[in-house]
């Protein structure tokens, strides 16, 4: 596992965006051989999206031959609902870049057949040959996508019931009213994420420190889903100083030392 410790949120966002741009450019995607990028929602990736948008507008990066798969979507919110992840992605990323609409994949939270929707999503990923790079955020309880604590570490795309903690945290997007927050969602599984060639998790702020401790120093445990990243051949965590508050000083020094020339 690679661990990049940056000073603050903005430098985490810039590093992640530069890495994504580097991977896309190095891949040299074409119409017949697109680069497949997995994407999250939430507040953490917004800075990374802004940096990628800036690169595109500066003529340094194209998404014309990039295919995306988002991690999750609330059940019961249509794509025009301001708190749906369809709406979030269009407002904060897709409408600002040159990606083709038919290259965008987001789970349909309004489907009448959840099992079929999840099966089709898995099949679509396979049809493109898998995800080259999956970007993700991190919940305070260690969840990735909507794979809450206790999720199977080999899970696939499915319906998940959200925990009270997740609902409480996400209520900030729903006028701080937990009664407005959907209680279920469609989400890619941990196994789906781990199938990607690379997985990059972003974590910023002291509230993520405990999860980062379990991700890096703890044992692999389904009660801390992010810990499975220890098993990935190309797993990356990009975090800020505050998110390392619960790591041992020796651990922090070690990762800073081996990554000191990678900024």
């Amino acid at each position: 596992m690679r661990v990049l410790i940056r000073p603050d949120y903005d430098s985490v966002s810039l590093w992640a965006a530069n890495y994504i741009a580097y991977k896309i450019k190095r891949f040299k995607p074409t119409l017949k051989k697109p680069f497949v990028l997995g994407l999250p929602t939430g507040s953490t990736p917004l800075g990374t999206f802004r940096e990628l948008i800036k690169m595109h507008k500066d003529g340094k990066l194209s998404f014309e031959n990039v295919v995306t798969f988002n991690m999750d979507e609330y059940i019961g919110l249509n794509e025009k609902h301001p708190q749906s992840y369809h709406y979030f992605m269009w407002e904060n990323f897709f409408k600002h870049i040159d990606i083709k609409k038919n290259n965008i994949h987001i789970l349909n939270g309004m489907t009448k057949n959840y099992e079929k929707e999840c099966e089709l999503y898995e099949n679509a990923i396979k049809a493109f040959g898998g995800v080259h790079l999956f970007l993700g955020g991190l919940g305070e309880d260690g969840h990735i996508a909507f794979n809450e604590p206790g999720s199977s570490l080999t899970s696939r795309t499915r319906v998940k019931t959200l925990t009270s903690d997740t609902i409480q945290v996400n209520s900030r997007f729903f006028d701080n009213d937990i009664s407005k927050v959907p209680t279920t969602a469609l989400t890619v599984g941990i196994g789906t994420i781990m199938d990607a060639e690379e997985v990059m998790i972003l974590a910023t702020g002291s509230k993520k420190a405990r999860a980062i401790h379990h991700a890096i120093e703890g044992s692999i445990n389904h009660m801390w889903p992010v810990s499975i990243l220890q098993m990935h051949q190309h797993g990356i965590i990009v975090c800020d100083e505050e998110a390392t508050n619960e790591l041992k000083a020796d651990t922090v020094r070690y990762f800073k030392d081996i990554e000191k020339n990678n900024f």
Side-chain angles (χ1 to χ4, degrees):
M1 179 193 295
R2 291 185 66 187
V3 179
L4 281 298
I5 302 170
R6 307 297 292 126
D8 51 32
Y9 176 82
D10 288 341
S11 54
V12 166
S13 300
L14 181 59
W15 195 96
N18 282 336
Y19 190 77
I20 292 168
Y22 163 73
K23 298 300 291 191
I24 292 173
K25 291 177 183 178
R26 184 181 179 188
F27 189 82
K28 297 179 180 178
T30 64
L31 179 64
K32 293 184 178 180
K33 191 188 73 171
F35 185 87
V36 184
L37 178 65
L39 293 172
T41 52
S43 55
T44 303
L46 285 174
T48 300
F49 292 162
R50 285 193 290 268
E51 293 292 344
L52 290 170
I53 291 166
K54 184 176 184 299
M55 290 179 199
H56 167 66
K57 291 190 173 180
D58 288 346
K60 298 176 181 178
L61 182 63
S62 172
F63 293 87
E64 184 178 7
N65 293 311
V66 173
V67 169
T68 63
F69 284 90
N70 262 78
M71 283 187 159
D72 40 32
E73 177 60 285
Y74 288 118
I75 288 176
L77 298 189
N78 65 54
E79 61 184 54
K80 294 184 179 180
H81 190 287
Q83 297 307 331
S84 74
Y85 290 158
H86 280 78
Y87 187 90
F88 177 97
M89 290 304 302
W90 277 101
E91 289 300 306
N92 291 292
F93 192 43
F94 293 145
K95 77 177 186 180
H96 304 286
I97 58 176
D98 61 340
I99 192 167
K100 298 170 184 173
K101 189 172 182 178
N102 61 354
N103 280 349
I104 296 168
H105 301 83
I106 307 177
L107 286 155
N108 177 14
M110 298 300 291
T111 182
K112 301 298 183 184
N113 189 332
Y114 303 137
E115 185 175 343
K116 187 66 174 178
E117 174 69 12
C118 295
E119 180 185 352
L120 290 173
Y121 209 67
E122 288 278 342
N123 290 340
I125 293 173
K126 290 176 184 175
F128 281 102
V131 175
H132 294 110
L133 173 61
F134 226 132
L135 177 68
L138 176 62
E140 294 176 23
D141 58 3
H143 74 255
I144 46 178
F146 273 131
N147 295 288
E148 304 281 20
S151 294
S152 166
L153 298 180
T154 60
S155 56
R156 313 305 301 188
T157 303
R158 68 209 187 285
V159 176
K160 280 295 290 180
T161 300
L162 308 186
T163 65
S164 297
D165 285 346
T166 296
I167 292 170
Q168 182 65 54
V169 169
N170 287 358
S171 67
R172 70 188 189 276
F173 302 117
F174 293 84
D175 304 319
N176 291 310
D177 184 349
I178 62 173
S179 68
K180 295 181 180 179
V181 185
T183 58
T184 54
L186 299 177
T187 180
V188 296
I190 297 174
T192 314
I193 296 168
M194 289 290 287
D195 279 349
E197 290 182 13
E198 288 188 89
V199 179
M200 180 164 62
I201 299 295
L202 309 181
T204 57
S206 59
K207 290 183 178 180
K208 305 297 176 71
R210 190 176 181 205
I212 285 295
H213 157 67
H214 283 278
I216 297 170
E217 295 178 329
S219 61
I220 297 170
N221 189 324
H222 68 166
M223 295 309 293
W224 291 93
V226 68
S227 65
I228 191 63
L229 199 63
Q230 296 174 30
M231 295 293 293
H232 201 288
Q233 288 187 330
H234 301 289
I236 305 172
I237 290 176
V238 191
C239 60
D240 65 2
E241 293 280 359
E242 287 189 355
T244 69
N245 285 348
E246 294 196 25
L247 293 179
K248 295 174 183 176
D250 285 349
T251 301
V252 173
R253 280 196 296 269
Y254 168 75
F255 283 112
K256 283 186 173 180
D257 179 59
I258 62 173
E259 296 287 355
K260 63 180 179 290
N261 296 319
N262 294 323
F263 298 138

